[in-house]
Amino acid sequence: MRAHTPAFAVPRHLHKGRFPCHTPKFLSFAPKSVNRSPAAGVAGANWFGDTGPADDGDVLMSSRRMVALAASLVAVAIVATGCGDSSGEAGAAPAATASVDAAEAPLKLVSGTPKLNGAEQGTGDWVPRVDGRVAEKDRETAMKWVALRASRAGDLNPVVVDGAGRTLYRFDKDTTNPSRSNCTGKCEEVWPPVTVTEGSSVHFVGIKGKVGFLRRGSIQTPGGKQRKVYQVTLNGWALYEFSKDVEPGDAKGHGVDGVWFAIAPNGKKAKGKGAPPPPEPSPTAPSAPQPEEPAPPVEEDRSIKVIFYADFNFNDGGESFPLRDSGCVNLADKIEGISGIQVFKGTVRTWAQPDCKGELKVFTEDIGDLSEVGFDNVIKSARIVS
């Protein structure tokens, strides 16, 4: 299968992906998790939950990926935080956090990649960086959308990258309960926060953790309107870029000062092949609850049930094809070779021949590299089942 190397995309053969003092307020949402155990609850649930295997076929994946939002009110807390220097050391400065129901978050949650969902070129994560940062004049355009994608960065696998392949990081001196950023001032010049604004879209591919939002000031539009700015979080950890990462696949910030680490799709610290995971910081005690701040409803697009990718690791630079409806679909004339599958809802049965014939393999969860199961560039037809 051919490799694709568009701007900001990672070539397939590389097998990797990557790449002011304020008062933040935190919103989070916990989607429902469907589990085999009848005692399984919603608390601590991820985006996707486990289900039983498909009723026939060679079932390769044990859990079905589902996306759902759960209404859960979380407490608000006001705590002290600080401005940091370039190494992430904190000083004294006020900050606040607030949690609201995800269904009221002023953002659009969209399954699939930005390209597949028609994101405009030169916007969102595709806005060029200058010295590792977005120019102030481009800031609003850059916040139209962000993407969170499971991929690889050097030896780190899996790791979360944005829509341009830049590796994303977490900071051990931040807190997750409540979610709070302690990187401000000079610190955020080196570690730019991943931010969106009201009405922005968050695209996700292969993410297994809980996505949330941390209030991070406001921005004034050219028309003079003030719009709230939010930093994206994953399992409570605020997300950052590293200004010294230059190319997709760079992960130069991993392990800096022993407190900065690339983040894995489940919110943990990413780890290299064969290496033990870096230790997690000790949890901090939650602050006293405060009234939550209401927010506009979130819009969620769940029309896409399955996406097939021509490149490994859900690479947005290559071809992709979405399935929305059931029924046998011949794929050979719709996408040139298939190397990855993302399953948002249901089970997908795939065949090595057209018209849903030949060797059958069944998938109930995402797989970024079909060569791992001996089915790379093999699939010719597919059908979605409930």
Side-chain angles (χ1 to χ4, degrees):
M1 180 175 49
R2 66 186 182 186
H4 303 270
T5 56
F8 296 115
V10 181
R12 173 183 168 177
H13 73 276
L14 293 180
H15 254 230
K16 66 180 181 179
R18 256 253 306 113
F19 215 136
C21 290
H22 48 272
T23 56
K25 295 183 179 179
F26 172 62
L27 340 167
S28 76
F29 49 88
K32 293 179 180 178
S33 176
V34 180
N35 193 284
R36 292 191 186 92
S37 169
V42 174
N46 289 332
W47 269 108
F48 308 106
D50 292 337
T51 64
D55 53 4
D56 63 353
D58 180 9
V59 180
L60 299 177
M61 305 300 169
S62 63
S63 64
R64 178 176 303 162
R65 299 300 194 192
M66 299 180 63
V67 180
L69 293 177
S72 69
L73 294 177
V74 189
V76 180
I78 297 177
V79 294
T81 176
C83 292
D85 59 22
S86 60
S87 67
E89 294 300 322
T97 59
S99 296
V100 301
D101 187 337
E104 299 179 348
L107 297 166
K108 300 170 186 175
L109 309 175
V110 186
S111 59
T113 66
K115 180 180 177 181
L116 186 63
N117 285 286
E120 183 182 354
Q121 288 294 327
T123 65
D125 291 340
W126 296 333
V127 170
R129 272 46 173 172
V130 179
D131 295 329
R133 303 185 64 202
V134 174
E136 187 61 31
K137 66 181 180 61
D138 297 327
R139 190 179 175 206
E140 185 178 7
T141 302
M143 287 194 291
K144 285 188 175 181
W145 58 266
V146 300
L148 307 179
R149 175 168 64 90
S151 188
R152 299 180 181 181
D155 290 335
L156 300 177
N157 182 31
V159 68
V160 179
V161 302
D162 70 4
R166 286 178 287 262
T167 301
L168 301 183
Y169 298 87
R170 44 172 278 186
F171 181 33
D172 273 1
K173 294 187 178 182
D174 287 347
T175 62
T176 61
N177 185 25
S179 185
R180 184 180 68 198
S181 170
N182 285 318
C183 177
T184 57
K186 292 182 179 180
C187 176
E188 65 181 320
E189 293 179 8
V190 179
W191 302 90
V194 177
T195 55
V196 291
T197 188
E198 299 175 52
S200 298
S201 298
V202 178
H203 305 268
F204 56 93
V205 181
I207 299 302
K208 298 178 174 61
K210 181 176 61 177
V211 178
F213 305 98
L214 174 72
R215 180 69 187 280
R216 197 165 183 118
S218 301
I219 188 173
Q220 184 170 324
T221 67
K225 180 182 178 182
Q226 291 290 323
R227 300 177 68 185
K228 296 177 181 178
V229 173
Y230 300 96
Q231 184 171 5
V232 182
T233 67
L234 181 57
N235 270 9
W237 292 104
L239 299 180
Y240 305 86
E241 300 172 11
F242 183 43
S243 62
K244 295 182 181 179
D245 283 343
V246 178
E247 300 292 338
D250 284 350
K252 298 175 183 177
H254 187 65
V256 169
D257 296 330
V259 291
W260 289 97
F261 296 93
I263 192 166
N266 61 1
K268 299 290 186 180
K269 297 174 183 178
K271 66 184 186 71
K273 183 177 180 180
E280 293 290 327
S282 300
T284 57
S287 303
Q290 301 289 333
E292 80 271 3
E293 175 183 304
V298 68
E299 297 177 10
E300 184 183 8
D301 182 354
R302 288 190 279 167
S303 61
I304 296 176
K305 298 178 181 178
V306 176
I307 301 175
F308 296 97
Y309 294 88
D311 285 353
F312 296 116
N313 297 321
F314 321 113
N315 189 347
D316 203 21
E319 294 178 326
S320 58
F321 181 77
L323 283 187
R324 292 179 169 87
D325 302 313
S326 57
C328 182
V329 178
N330 289 324
L331 299 169
D333 60 343
K334 302 181 185 302
I335 180 171
E336 185 178 348
I338 296 172
S339 289
I341 302 175
Q342 185 183 19
V343 182
F344 294 101
K345 186 176 182 180
T347 297
V348 59
R349 297 172 184 171
T350 64
W351 287 266
Q353 297 178 15
D355 303 319
C356 295
K357 297 178 180 179
E359 183 181 359
L360 166 69
K361 288 191 184 294
V362 181
F363 300 89
T364 59
E365 69 172 18
D366 302 346
I367 178 168
D369 184 356
L370 283 168
S371 67
E372 295 176 355
V373 295
F375 227 50
D376 179 33
N377 202 21
V378 172
I379 297 172
K380 297 297 187 293
S381 57
R383 183 197 307 271
I384 297 173
V385 295
S386 299

